[in-house]
Each structure stands twice: as structure tokens, then as C-alpha cells.
Amino acid sequence: MGDLKNKVILIGGNHHNGLGLARSFGVNGIKPYGIIVGEGAEHGFVRKSKYWAKTWVIKSDDEIVEFLLNAFQNEKEKPVVIPYSDGAAEEIDLNLDRLKEHFLLPSIDGQQGKIAELMDKQKQVEFAQTYGIPMAKSCVVDLNDIRLPEDMIYPCIVKPVVSAEGEKSDIRKCDTETQTVVYLQELRKKGYHRFLVQEYLNYDTEYLMAGSIHETRKCWINLNKIRVWPVVGGSSSYSRLEDKQAVDEFYGKVRSAFRKIGYDGLFDVEALEANGKIYLNEVNWRNSGAVYYALETNVYYPLIWYMEKLGETKLNNYNIECMNEGFYAMDEALDLRHVVCGNITLRQWLCDRKRTKAFALWYTPDTVSYTHLRAFGIPQICVRQLRSICTY
């Protein structure tokens, strides 16, 4: 790895996503550069990793482009840029033409604004329809003129049209049309202008595919989300690798669609299984928070994408996929909230933790102190319990 001269720059917030990315490169002998975005990120836990070459903090996504150009535009070899937040991915894509002279970047067919366009969930519905990928009935509602389709199916789930425009905490399940309208009115008062209303699938299982694609090279892992937080519309907190044939066939269709539109980058794809049928839930056109799986499965998909961008072909030491169903992983600080809220017992959580091989935060070669987790928005009670019981 030492002969690769192109720097890799990771951009996103104070989130374990960035921590897992830094570790994925660092353990393979490449120390990445980090641009951590957001208020309070200066003292956040992500910067504590020993694998960074150097990190900087900026206040908002609006500063990304100028910072990149000021800090890296004179490099002899183009740095590779990997966004790990929706806001960073959108900002980079909207300035692709300006940046691509100096950087190697993710894109759709090399066209500026195409990723940002497909971040719109209504556009994702159209994308799914074009390539024959099942998806729940959806519509975008103008909050200045709230009108719901007469054939809308209830219960429904209400969520931001573009993830970068809103917060996961504003995702809500509504059981009736009246309840939906009332909640949309509340969202309007909060400053939103539009929101997605989507048929709520009473699903049996939730899946996630995390990976990367560059031309013909595809690298991925399929996950079964056992627990998520928040319970509705949340992120995976406890999961295992999934080798179900129907899931792999479904995600194979998604990967094929990515190739057809010329997508070049990292991805995070959520799907739901209801009544034996699998539906696309959401595509995130950036690195997945499940990247910490790479550290134990040897599926280093961010590293493989980086090497592919540089034309490197010596990839025999890395897995392209991993189908070991006995492999469990946990975002331990997030998952512990289920214990605090009484969803599971502490005994059950300890049992699940014992069988877990990959953790979002705890990684023995690169321990991050739990004293830094308050900056991640983790309740103090969770931090105390993690410190007292997580003797890995």
C-alpha cells in the first residue's frame, strides 16, 4: 500500500461512520485526511482515532468546497474524496465540475448534480420504477398546500424528501389521513416546505446493503437489521450478515441499476420484506454507517473503491462479499438505548454483545474513550452503563 501516492479525504460529521472509514484505511496502511463537519466536532470522538494523518473541523457543509480547494488543489496526485454524510455528498456533487479538475470523486456518469437529484426520494421512486424495483406507494406533499392523494394507503410513514434536509427524529408513522395532515402541519411550523408520505409496510424484516461500485467492480455486504434506533425510521443498532438468496437477488438488481446509470461511488441501500416480497426503502449515495463490518469481514469496500479509482488491480487479499450468517455486529452505544427504554433486558443485550464480532465504537487496536460519547448525543446513562459493562 505504501506506493499509492494519492491521499484519501473523508468528509462528514462527528459520527461513527467516519470512525469506521478511518479505521478501514488505517489498518491497511493508508492514513486518511479528515474534514469533520458541524458544531462541536472539534472535541468529538471521531478525531480521536489514531489512524488519521490529519483532521480539520469546519462548521457547515457550505464550507466544504472552498476548504478542499484551499487545502488540496496543489497536490501532484489527485486526492480521492469520500463523503460519509448526506450533506457532504450533496455539496460535493453540486460542485462536481469545479472540483473534478483537482480530485477523484463519486458521481453518476460524471455529471454534476445527478447524485443530488437522486437524493430526492420521489426521484428514487421513479428510479425504482424505471428498473423494475418494487417500492412502496409514495408522494411528495407541498406543506404550503397540504393535499394527500385520494388513493394514499394508511398507515403511512412521513419523512424528509432528502435526508440532508431533515432529521431522523422527524420521521413518524401516521395511522390515518387526519393524523397525517395534523403532523404535516406541525412540520410546516418547524420550517419544512415539503415532506414525503409513503405507504407504511408492515414488514417482517429490514435489510441493508453497504458497498461500492466502480465500473464493473462491485463490492458489498448484505445485512439483516435485527434492531434499529429509533424504532420507527431508525438506523441499524444490531444486525447480522444475510445470505438469503432472495435478498441477494433483489440487491443484485439494485447493483445492476447502479451500473446502468453510471454510478461510481459508495452506497447504503435499505430494503423491507413484507408478505414474502422485498421492497426498496431508500438509497443513500454515500458511505454506510455499517462500514465497521469491514474490520472483521475483510470486505474493505471503501478501500477497494479508492484503489479502483487509481487503477490499482492488486485486490486479491480482500473479500468482495461476505455471506457468513453467523456474523453479528452492533452499534453498541445506540443499541444500549433499547435497554434503557425497556425494549430488551440487560441480560439479553449482554448475550447479544457476547456473540458480536464487530462494534461501531469499540475496536481494540484503536480504542475511543467513552468520555467522548456525550458529543455524539448519547445519554449520560448509556455512557455510564457502557463504561461499566463493556469489558470486551
Side-chain angles (χ1 to χ4, degrees), residues 39-63:
E39 298 290 342
E42 183 175 356
H43 303 292
F45 69 93
V46 171
R47 299 182 72 200
K48 305 301 178 182
S49 173
K50 72 177 185 180
Y51 291 117
W52 293 111
K54 187 175 181 179
T55 61
W56 299 266
V57 172
I58 58 177
K59 291 183 179 179
S60 70
D61 294 321
D62 295 340
E63 301 176 31

Side-chain angles (χ1 to χ4, degrees), residues 167-222:
E167 302 292 335
K168 274 189 175 290
S169 58
D170 289 324
I171 298 174
R172 183 176 296 183
K173 177 187 174 187
C174 297
D175 294 318
T176 65
E177 180 179 3
T178 300
Q179 194 178 81
T180 305
V181 171
V182 169
Y183 185 53
L184 291 173
Q185 290 170 341
E186 291 179 22
L187 292 167
R188 181 172 58 196
K189 293 176 183 177
K190 293 180 70 170
Y192 286 104
H193 299 288
R194 58 178 186 155
F195 236 68
L196 183 81
V197 177
Q198 187 173 65
E199 172 191 0
Y200 178 81
L201 295 172
N202 188 21
Y203 59 88
D204 306 304
T205 314
E206 188 172 0
Y207 302 107
L208 183 144
M209 174 177 66
S212 63
I213 181 170
H214 175 75
E215 297 177 351
T216 59
R217 172 75 70 169
K218 291 169 278 189
C219 179
W220 70 92
I221 51 174
N222 296 337

Side-chain angles (χ1 to χ4, degrees), residues 45 48 362 367-373 387:
F45 69 93
K48 305 301 178 182
W362 191 271
T367 302
V368 173
S369 170
Y370 286 114
T371 60
H372 299 115
L373 298 185
R387 186 184 292 120

Side-chain angles (χ1 to χ4, degrees), residues 65-358:
V65 174
E66 293 304 323
F67 188 93
L68 278 172
L69 292 172
N70 290 336
F72 295 101
Q73 69 175 344
N74 294 321
E75 296 287 326
K76 290 183 179 179
E77 304 291 340
K78 288 184 178 182
V80 178
V81 176
I82 299 179
Y84 63 87
S85 70
D86 295 307
E90 182 178 41
E91 191 67 21
I92 289 166
D93 188 59
L94 291 174
N95 292 275
L96 186 69
D97 292 343
R98 187 179 175 195
L99 291 170
K100 65 184 179 184
E101 181 181 347
H102 306 286
F103 302 94
L104 297 174
L105 306 158
S107 72
I108 292 178
D109 202 26
Q111 297 181 54
Q112 178 170 293
K114 285 294 184 178
I115 290 177
E117 180 180 319
L118 273 176
M119 284 182 168
D120 185 307
K121 291 182 176 61
Q122 185 59 40
K123 293 293 183 182
Q124 289 188 23
V125 172
E126 296 169 12
F127 164 77
Q129 290 173 341
T130 299
Y131 294 99
I133 302 169
M135 199 169 185
K137 181 177 179 58
S138 308
C139 70
V140 175
V141 178
D142 179 354
L143 298 189
N144 294 314
D145 183 20
I146 298 174
R147 298 182 185 181
L148 294 168
E150 292 183 3
D151 60 349
M152 191 63 215
I153 301 172
Y154 301 94
C156 66
I157 191 162
V158 182
K159 54 187 177 182
V161 177
V162 178
S163 297
E165 291 181 0
E167 302 292 335
K168 274 189 175 290
S169 58
D170 289 324
I171 298 174
R172 183 176 296 183
K173 177 187 174 187
C174 297
D175 294 318
T176 65
E177 180 179 3
T178 300
Q179 194 178 81
T180 305
V181 171
V182 169
Y183 185 53
L184 291 173
Q185 290 170 341
E186 291 179 22
L187 292 167
R188 181 172 58 196
K189 293 176 183 177
K190 293 180 70 170
Y192 286 104
H193 299 288
R194 58 178 186 155
F195 236 68
L196 183 81
V197 177
Q198 187 173 65
E199 172 191 0
Y200 178 81
L201 295 172
N202 188 21
Y203 59 88
D204 306 304
T205 314
E206 188 172 0
Y207 302 107
L208 183 144
M209 174 177 66
S212 63
I213 181 170
H214 175 75
E215 297 177 351
T216 59
R217 172 75 70 169
K218 291 169 278 189
C219 179
W220 70 92
I221 51 174
N222 296 337
L223 313 179
N224 179 330
K225 295 185 181 183
I226 299 172
R227 288 192 292 270
V228 301
W229 186 271
V231 176
V232 176
S235 299
S236 174
S237 62
Y238 181 57
S239 56
R240 66 171 171 80
L241 288 175
E242 176 62 67
D243 72 349
K244 191 174 178 180
Q245 183 177 353
V247 176
D248 195 50
E249 289 176 355
F250 175 85
Y251 276 133
K253 200 168 188 178
V254 174
R255 293 191 299 271
S256 177
F258 285 170
R259 187 180 174 192
K260 288 175 182 176
I261 64 173
Y263 182 56
D264 180 15
L266 281 60
F267 53 76
D268 171 291
V269 185
E270 299 174 5
L272 306 171
E273 183 174 2
N275 299 318
K277 187 174 181 179
I278 302 175
Y279 299 82
L280 178 66
N281 184 42
E282 183 176 351
V283 179
N284 295 302
W285 307 91
R286 41 80 180 158
N287 184 57
S288 173
V291 64
Y292 57 95
Y293 265 85
L295 298 166
E296 299 295 336
T297 61
N298 203 35
V299 183
Y300 289 103
Y301 65 85
L303 176 71
I304 289 175
W305 185 75
Y306 163 80
M307 295 172 71
E308 286 281 337
K309 291 292 280 186
L310 303 183
E312 178 61 53
T313 58
K314 298 177 182 177
L315 302 172
N316 295 334
N317 293 329
Y318 302 103
N319 294 333
I320 300 303
E321 60 177 314
C322 181
M323 307 287 278
N324 180 4
E325 264 203 326
F327 187 99
Y328 290 81
M330 179 185 288
D331 178 347
E332 63 271 47
L334 198 62
D335 198 55
L336 192 58
R337 297 174 192 235
H338 286 284
V339 177
V340 175
C341 293
N343 298 333
I344 59 172
T345 65
L346 179 59
R347 183 176 182 177
Q348 177 64 53
W349 189 84
L350 289 169
C351 180
D352 291 339
R353 191 210 68 185
K354 187 175 181 179
R355 76 169 80 175
T356 297
K357 295 182 180 178

